[in-house]
Amino acid sequence: HLYYPDFVAVLQMPDKSKLNLIIEVTGQKDDKKALKVKTAKEFWVPSVNNAGKYGKWAMLEIEDIHETQRLIREGMKKGFE
């Protein structure tokens, strides 16, 4: 099954490392989007990070687009879950 994220941003973290951030904009919840986010967070991101040859990856789910900048900045400071 092919997975296409809504967005991928390459961030320069405070320690100057690069982080590939998958951004999923969920808006209104539905089962397909929930499964997509769960699969990316619990399987894809850990797998690609464990491979160690594609850089560091993280996932951010955004429910309110007006919170995007705050959530990214907060993740850059505290880490993305």
Side-chain angles (χ1 to χ4, degrees):
H1 180 41
L2 296 175
Y3 168 66
Y4 297 101
D6 291 334
F7 300 96
V8 175
V10 179
L11 306 177
Q12 183 172 334
M13 300 302 286
D15 66 357
K16 303 297 184 208
S17 66
K18 299 275 190 220
L19 176 73
N20 302 295
L21 181 64
I22 297 170
I23 301 172
E24 287 292 343
V25 181
T26 56
Q28 190 173 20
K29 292 282 186 180
D30 69 36
D31 291 340
K32 285 177 78 174
K33 184 63 108 169
L35 182 60
K36 185 177 178 182
V37 169
K38 179 180 172 64
T39 301
K41 274 187 179 179
E42 294 180 10
F43 297 103
W44 195 89
V45 169
S47 294
V48 76
N49 283 334
N50 284 336
K53 52 186 173 180
Y54 304 105
K56 178 77 174 153
W57 289 78
M59 166 87 185
L60 176 63
E61 179 181 11
I62 296 174
E63 295 177 10
D64 179 354
I65 60 167
H66 302 292
E67 293 291 312
T68 303
Q69 188 175 48
R70 182 188 65 77
L71 291 171
I72 291 172
R73 287 183 176 164
E74 186 177 292
M76 289 179 73
K77 289 180 185 173
K78 298 178 181 178
F80 295 95
E81 294 182 11

